Amino acid sequence: MSTTPILQTPSKDYPETIDNWAVLKELETLQERIQEQEIAEYVAPFDNREALQKLELEKDELSAVITSIGFGSILTGLTTFSVGLLGLLLAWKPMVRLEKVARLIKLMKLILENFEELGVEMLPLHKTPKAQPIDLIVRFPGKEFLLFAIRSHGDSTVVYNQNKEALYHKRGQKGMSRWKPDPLDDLAEQEFWLRKNRRNFFGGTAKGSRRPMAKVLIVWGQTRLDEHQEQLYANVDNQKFLFIRREKGGAFYVIHQTQVIDFMRAYLAHRQSQEAAA
């Protein structure tokens, strides 16, 4: 049984809509192309010509780097094993990007299945000048906004250290290592840039750009969340989620991949009750 996609309609708040299905189709096409080694990097086409120019520039830059490394390898007389290792290193960046795109496709499909009727809109892989690209921006008609970062650290457990205001990961008996780069820092920088430079996403007004936006770190796959002290959890519509407030600025939810839909439902209900009370 096929379903007809629900298309967004312009409103006074958001005259420029986001076509969820077009974006999702584009990501799926991208995934196939990366698998075929057609491209090594991707920027969501907020502006098609600008995105094409960036891809062409990056292609030239990558070609120059690969040529330089290859020429240097010949000069230094690398062994067959070293050449193979070099190939793996050169393939690492597109492999990482492919994994990122595959996760986004899975997440966006899940969100559409559960929230499309509420008019959810999503914008993935949006670049920012000084911070990491924004994994996924989500908005619901009117007032609700969420900023997602998707991260994993293999078969490990994530722990938040309150004293150092930092995330750590631990693997068995090997002790703990600080999570670098800090995904919470990424989220904070992304939110600051988005509010300052993309007012149109919030309706184009200063008031709109000050609306609450949930910054959410999604711990993905085999990576787990450790149990934390009770005061580090927030009650969101009668459900508890890890909620980190840092003195140096910023408040963040940290959830596992399996909690995404429950969190979003709880957050929307929580925000609705706040609006009703106000």
Side-chain angles (χ1 to χ4, degrees):
M1 178 179 178
S2 61
T3 58
T4 302
I6 299 174
L7 301 179
Q8 308 302 328
T9 56
S11 68
K12 62 182 181 64
D13 291 322
Y14 309 114
E16 181 181 351
T17 61
I18 300 171
D19 188 335
N20 298 315
W21 288 102
V23 169
L24 187 56
K25 183 177 180 181
E26 186 173 354
L27 282 172
E28 290 174 332
T29 301
L30 167 70
Q31 183 179 18
E32 295 173 358
R33 288 181 177 178
I34 294 180
Q35 288 171 330
E36 296 169 1
Q37 298 183 349
E38 290 184 24
I39 56 178
E41 188 66 273
Y42 172 74
V43 180
F46 207 67
D47 181 299
N48 289 325
R49 290 186 181 277
E50 181 182 357
L52 181 58
Q53 290 173 355
K54 288 180 179 179
L55 286 174
E56 290 173 343
L57 177 61
E58 184 157 6
K59 179 182 177 182
D60 293 341
E61 292 174 344
L62 287 172
S63 297
V65 170
I66 292 171
T67 301
S68 298
I69 294 176
F71 184 67
S73 299
I74 293 173
L75 291 179
T76 54
L78 289 176
T79 64
T80 302
F81 172 78
S82 297
V83 171
L85 180 59
L86 175 63
L88 288 175
L89 292 174
L90 293 178
W92 180 250
K93 189 173 183 178
M95 287 170 60
V96 171
R97 179 62 69 171
L98 174 59
E99 187 176 37
K100 172 78 73 177
V101 171
R103 290 171 182 170
L104 276 168
I105 289 172
K106 186 172 183 178
L107 177 61
M108 290 178 68
K109 283 184 175 180
L110 187 64
I111 292 174
L112 280 172
E113 288 173 5
N114 287 273
F115 299 106
E116 188 176 12
E117 292 184 358
L118 296 181
V120 66
E121 294 182 290
M122 296 174 286
L123 185 62
L125 295 175
H126 188 41
K127 277 200 169 182
T128 60
K130 296 182 180 180
Q132 290 289 323
I134 299 172
D135 287 343
L136 188 64
I137 310 169
V138 175
R139 77 180 180 195
F140 287 86
K143 302 174 182 178
E144 308 311 330
F145 307 92
L146 301 99
L147 187 63
F148 288 112
I150 306 170
R151 300 288 189 274
S152 67
H153 224 295
D155 186 7
S156 65
T157 302
V158 175
V159 181
Y160 180 68
N161 186 311
Q162 286 183 268
N163 294 328
K164 297 185 178 181
E165 292 195 326
L167 290 169
Y168 286 73
H169 57 88
K170 59 182 180 180
R171 299 174 186 270
Q173 303 299 319
K174 296 181 180 180
M176 293 197 297
S177 300
R178 190 161 181 165
W179 196 337
K180 296 182 179 180
D182 190 331
L184 302 185
D185 286 343
D186 290 341
L187 278 169
E189 292 172 4
Q190 290 165 357
E191 182 201 24
F192 177 79
W193 182 87
L194 190 63
R195 290 188 186 277
K196 183 178 179 181
N197 298 280
R198 289 292 182 266
R199 281 189 176 182
N200 61 319
F201 185 77
F202 299 93
T205 65
K207 180 180 178 181
S209 66
R210 292 193 296 269
R211 292 190 181 280
M213 171 180 274
K215 296 184 291 296
V216 187
L217 170 62
I218 302 175
V219 176
W220 198 268
Q222 287 184 305
T223 310
R224 300 169 296 278
L225 278 177
D226 204 356
E227 292 293 328
H228 291 76
Q229 295 179 10
E230 186 68 20
Q231 68 268 23
L232 284 177
Y233 290 87
N235 195 324
V236 184
D237 193 44
N238 296 320
Q239 295 190 61
K240 291 183 179 180
F241 299 97
L242 186 60
F243 186 62
I244 295 171
R245 291 184 181 273
R246 301 193 300 184
E247 290 184 6
K248 63 181 180 180
F252 313 85
Y253 292 97
V254 183
I255 63 175
H256 189 263
Q257 172 189 353
T258 55
Q259 296 177 290
V260 170
I261 298 305
D262 286 342
F263 170 78
M264 290 182 66
R265 285 179 177 152
Y267 180 77
L268 289 176
H270 175 67
R271 288 287 301 129
Q272 288 172 359
S273 65
Q274 285 184 325
E275 291 289 328

